[in-house]
């Protein structure tokens, strides 16, 4: 939707005119989970001045006890009124940057991590635009309101109502997002029953990361209003496709020209685009620890379900890691297909961009395109040179060994790594239903 330009006086006026009574000061933890400090309208001036304090030590992975006093400084361009709240006593939000008590940006803030990478891009003369494709499932809830894995419909790819019973939910999600000023490119039913997709139009990287956080909230709220549970869990069901967040990436110079486009090239890509893609491919294993951050993420990245797992690129829509769609000047982009929506969008986008910039700096080769025969060949999961990590532990090992992607995370890296190691160890301590069914009688 583009960055809005608000002065503090504009926000005060809108809050008064629209009868806003509560403002949520939002930020995310290192996992991308949305947090907020809710204030009444009487505290608005303090909030706009960045004087609202919170205890950072209470947010998982964010901060140590002796650094707990943090301040929230709102980005005024992110001001939105939630359209699903009552017409009287409305609720608005502001997405905030986290500052320490010395009035310096907190280096462990995921939003600051992305800002730092974007500063690097700007120092090289580039701005980055992104357009994600969000897949998610709609499930029924039980009598206690807890989510089940019973899907809301039996429809398939691009089906319509009455087969696609989720069509009404998707429509309301899109209308709600449009009420908030977001530009939606498309929405449709996906391959699996109960699975849906909504695609955004391109926007600048920081704005898009903010939009991703808001989008996930909107989807969950609207689904709940329909008596359903929406989940961005990458692989909630066996034997059907999982949910990804394919990400379209474009690079522009400061005059607004798409530097990925070259009309003379066979694929309409510039040499810079190939180098950027080369960086993505070279660092893809380490990136996976950020863009596919859960144990469950790797249940999606397997053969047979249209998810990418073979490292390489192609202009064919047959599950390459990076796809090159038909290019047309300003709309030229590369599509990075492995990320899923369980990732922290600020960290995930930072890692993608950092990898691509490293490719440009070092003129990394993207290699030849994967052929149709190569893409259809059964994947060897032990072909470690050409495949993504098959579990979270292996992805974390790749991250440990990758200086560039660790650098993209900055001060967040150590806490993120420790949290994910703990998550893996917790998973490994559990006995799962598949194991019991497979082995309890046999042995």
């Amino acid at each position: 939707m583009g960055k809005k330009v608000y002065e503090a006086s504009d926000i005060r006026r809108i809050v008064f005119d629209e009868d806003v009574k509560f403002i949520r000061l939002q930020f995310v933890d290192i996992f991308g989970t949305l947090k907020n400090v809710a204030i009444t309208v009487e505290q608005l001036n303090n909030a706009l001045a960045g004087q609202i304090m919170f205890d950072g030590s209470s947010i998982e992975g964010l901060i140590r006890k002796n650094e707990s006093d943090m301040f929230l400084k709102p980005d005024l361009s992110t001001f939105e009124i939630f359209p699903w709240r009552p017409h009287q006593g409305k609720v608005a939000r502001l997405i905030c940057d986290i500052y320490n008590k010395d009035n310096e940006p907190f280096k462990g803030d995921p939003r600051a991590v992305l800002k730092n990478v974007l500063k690097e891009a700007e120092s090289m003369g580039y701005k980055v635009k992104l357009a994600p494709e969000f897949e998610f499932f709609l499930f029924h809830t039980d009598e206690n309101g807890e989510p089940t894995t019973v899907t809301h419909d039996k429809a398939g790819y691009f089906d319509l109502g009455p087969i696609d019973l989720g069509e009404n939910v998707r429509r309301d999600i899109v209308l709600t997002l449009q009420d908030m000023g977001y530009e939606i490119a498309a929405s449709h039913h996906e391959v699996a029953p109960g699975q849906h997709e909504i695609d955004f139009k391109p926007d600048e990287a920081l704005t898009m990361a903010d939009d991703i956080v808001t989008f996930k909230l909107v989807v969950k709220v609207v689904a709940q209003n329909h008596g359903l549970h929406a989940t961005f869990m990458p692989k909630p069901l066996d034997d059907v496709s999982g949910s990804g967040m394919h990400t379209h990436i474009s690079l522009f110079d400061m005059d607004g020209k798409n530097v990925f486009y070259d009309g003379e090239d066979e694929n309409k890509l510039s040499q810079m685009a190939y180098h950027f893609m080369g960086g993505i491919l070279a660092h893809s294993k380490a990136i996976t620890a950020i863009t596919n951050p859960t144990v469950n993420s790797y249940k999606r990245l397997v053969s047979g379900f249209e998810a990418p797992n073979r490292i390489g690129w192609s202009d064919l829509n047959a599950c390459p890691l990076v796809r090159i769609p038909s290019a047309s000047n300003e709309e030229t982009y590369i599509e990075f297909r492995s990320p899923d929506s369980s990732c922290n969008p600020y960290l995930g986008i930072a890692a993608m961009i950092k990898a691509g910039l490293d490719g440009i700096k070092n003129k990394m080769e993207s290699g030849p395109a994967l052929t149709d025969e190569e893409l259809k060949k059964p994947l060897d999961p032990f072909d470690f040179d050409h495949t993504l990590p098959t579990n979270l532990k292996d992805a974390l090992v790749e991250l440990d060994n990758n200086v560039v992607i660790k650098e993209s995370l900055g001060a967040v890296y150590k806490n993120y790594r420790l949290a994910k190691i703990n998550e893996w160890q917790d998973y490994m301590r559990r006995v799962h239903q598949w194991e019991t069914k497979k082995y309890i009688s046999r042995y």
Side-chain angles (χ1 to χ4, degrees):
M1 64 178 176
K3 224 170 183 38
K4 297 180 179 178
V5 180
Y6 286 123
E7 300 289 338
S9 57
D10 297 323
I11 293 176
R12 293 189 194 97
R13 174 181 51 78
I14 295 170
V15 163
F16 178 80
D17 290 346
E18 296 291 332
D19 191 31
V20 173
K21 295 299 183 185
F22 296 93
I23 296 96
R24 292 183 179 179
L25 304 179
Q26 297 181 336
F27 58 99
V28 299
D29 64 15
I30 61 172
F31 307 124
T33 304
L34 187 62
K35 306 291 184 180
N36 71 200
V37 174
I39 62 170
T40 62
V41 69
E42 288 78 16
Q43 290 293 311
L44 178 60
N45 285 337
N46 288 336
L48 295 175
Q51 296 175 355
I52 300 297
M53 184 187 296
F54 76 103
D55 181 4
S57 66
S58 63
I59 307 300
E60 189 170 9
L62 195 63
I63 205 165
R64 296 188 296 269
K65 289 287 184 184
N66 62 344
E67 300 172 327
S68 60
D69 293 338
M70 294 282 109
F71 291 86
L72 294 173
K73 294 202 171 185
D75 182 336
L76 303 190
S77 71
T78 65
F79 178 78
E80 293 285 349
I81 298 174
F82 291 135
W84 58 79
R85 291 299 182 179
H87 290 294
Q88 291 186 332
K90 294 178 183 177
V91 177
R93 75 92 196 270
L94 285 159
I95 294 177
C96 299
D97 294 309
I98 302 174
Y99 277 65
N100 59 35
K101 59 186 177 183
D102 298 325
N103 200 34
E104 293 291 328
F106 173 52
K107 293 180 180 179
D109 177 11
R111 201 167 188 262
V113 167
L114 177 54
K115 281 186 168 185
N116 287 337
V117 173
L118 293 177
K119 284 178 184 176
E120 181 180 348
E122 288 186 12
S123 72
M124 295 171 64
Y126 307 124
K127 289 192 175 182
V128 187
K129 286 191 177 182
L130 301 168
E133 300 174 354
F134 300 98
E135 295 170 337
F136 58 94
F137 278 86
L138 293 175
F139 291 123
H140 284 292
T141 56
D142 64 19
E143 60 275 9
N144 297 316
E146 295 296 320
T148 69
T149 53
V150 179
T151 60
H152 187 47
D153 62 65
K154 302 297 182 184
Y157 202 47
F158 285 108
D159 278 345
L160 300 172
I163 298 175
D164 177 8
L165 300 178
E167 188 176 4
N168 289 339
V169 185
R170 274 205 322 275
R171 181 198 63 215
D172 286 354
I173 290 169
V174 171
L175 291 175
T176 300
L177 290 166
Q178 289 175 336
D179 284 346
M180 297 174 72
Y182 294 95
E183 293 186 277
I184 305 302
S187 71
H188 60 84
H189 200 287
E190 256 296 336
V191 175
Q195 189 182 35
H196 305 268
E197 179 175 317
I198 294 177
D199 305 337
F200 272 39
K201 289 187 176 180
D203 212 334
E204 293 190 8
L206 182 62
T207 300
M208 186 55 70
D210 291 338
D211 291 351
I212 291 171
V213 171
T214 301
F215 170 79
K216 292 169 70 174
L217 174 65
V218 169
V219 170
K220 287 181 174 293
V221 168
V222 173
Q224 189 176 51
N225 290 342
H226 282 263
L228 299 170
H229 177 77
T231 181
F232 294 93
M233 181 179 176
K235 185 79 168 182
L237 297 173
D238 296 337
D239 301 325
V240 298
S241 297
S243 294
M245 187 182 73
H246 301 171
T247 304
H248 303 178
I249 310 173
S250 302
L251 214 60
F252 293 80
D253 65 20
M254 293 305 170
D255 295 324
K257 178 184 176 182
N258 189 328
V259 298
F260 277 2
Y261 179 73
D262 181 353
E264 302 299 316
D265 179 71
E266 178 184 2
N267 297 298
K268 308 301 181 187
L269 292 183
S270 68
Q271 197 59 46
M272 191 173 297
Y274 285 113
H275 290 324
F276 190 96
M277 184 163 58
I280 290 276
L281 295 174
H283 297 294
S284 59
K285 293 183 181 183
I287 294 172
T288 306
I290 313 302
T291 57
N292 305 80
T294 70
V295 167
N296 182 255
S297 295
Y298 298 84
K299 306 294 177 73
R300 167 180 165 254
L301 299 177
V302 296
S303 295
F305 296 100
E306 300 187 1
N309 39 39
R310 183 181 276 104
I311 297 172
W313 69 275
S314 173
D315 60 348
L316 302 171
N317 193 12
C319 307
L321 181 59
V322 175
R323 187 174 77 90
I324 306 303
S326 299
S328 58
N329 203 350
E330 299 310 310
E331 295 182 359
T332 303
Y333 60 88
I334 67 171
E335 179 184 341
F336 188 41
R337 303 182 72 254
S338 58
D340 67 58
S341 295
S342 68
C343 76
N344 181 321
Y346 301 101
L347 301 184
I349 292 172
M352 294 181 224
I353 296 172
K354 183 76 172 182
L357 296 179
D358 188 56
I360 291 174
K361 288 177 182 177
N362 292 293
K363 293 183 168 53
M364 292 182 174
E365 297 296 330
S366 57
L370 295 170
T371 64
D372 186 49
E373 183 180 347
E374 287 174 315
L375 288 166
K376 289 180 177 177
K377 183 180 177 181
L379 186 71
D380 179 359
F382 296 101
D383 181 8
F384 300 117
D385 290 337
H386 302 100
T387 58
L388 293 177
T390 57
N391 58 61
L392 179 59
K393 178 184 75 94
D394 289 349
L396 291 170
V397 171
E398 294 290 344
L399 178 60
D400 275 351
N401 294 327
N402 192 298
V403 175
V404 171
I405 304 305
K406 283 195 292 188
E407 189 178 277
S408 75
L409 299 181
V412 170
Y413 166 67
K414 288 184 179 179
N415 283 345
Y416 181 87
R417 176 183 182 275
L418 178 60
K420 289 300 165 182
I421 287 174
N422 290 339
E423 184 174 334
W424 173 256
Q425 290 176 336
D426 183 43
Y427 169 72
M428 290 302 295
R429 282 195 292 267
R430 310 297 169 182
V431 177
H432 305 280
Q433 185 178 5
W434 181 91
E435 298 172 81
T436 305
K437 185 177 179 180
K438 185 80 172 178
Y439 302 126
I440 198 165
S441 297
R442 183 180 298 181
Y443 301 106

